[in-house]
Amino acid sequence: MSHATATLKGKFIAEADSYETVEGNIYFPLSSIDQSVLTQTKTTTACPWKGTASYYTLTVDGQEYKDAAWSYQEPKDAAQNIKGHVAFYKNKIDIQTS
């Protein structure tokens, strides 16, 4: 599997050699993410096959990017591979794989 990074304003916020790809989104293991930039919000959405997504605001250099990341903390059976992983909106965060 290739290497994946997520950067925001030139700051690495996630870096992993092991990750999951679902519906074109890279899901980074929570352990590979700079926890100091994540703040969970009250926003949730529902997916019929993945379950309920919880969202995070990212704060970098004092600027907040509301609901720029999400995770399925208790995914449905079909999405157990993304439990403990976080994905980022590609229009807000620079995601690269190599």
Side-chain angles (χ1 to χ4, degrees):
M1 184 171 282
S2 61
H3 185 76
T5 60
T7 58
L8 178 58
K9 296 182 74 174
K11 177 182 171 70
F12 278 93
I13 55 175
E15 187 169 15
D17 290 322
S18 176
Y19 56 86
E20 298 291 331
T21 304
V22 177
E23 297 178 330
N25 294 303
I26 303 283
Y27 283 80
F28 290 84
L30 193 55
S31 61
S32 72
I33 299 169
D34 179 354
Q35 300 294 305
S36 70
V37 303
L38 286 180
T39 304
Q40 189 165 354
T41 69
K42 294 181 180 181
T43 305
T44 61
T45 58
C47 171
W49 73 274
K50 291 185 296 257
T52 300
S54 298
Y55 286 78
Y56 301 87
T57 291
L58 303 175
T59 305
V60 173
D61 295 335
Q63 187 170 355
E64 289 187 350
Y65 298 83
K66 184 167 174 48
D67 296 335
W70 71 94
S71 69
Y72 292 88
Q73 295 171 357
E74 295 297 329
K76 292 185 176 183
D77 290 344
Q80 285 296 305
N81 61 314
I82 57 173
K83 184 173 185 167
H85 289 66
V86 176
F88 302 96
Y89 279 107
K90 294 180 263 185
N91 65 337
K92 296 180 181 184
I93 312 301
D94 182 30
I95 308 293
Q96 298 290 322
T97 58
S98 59

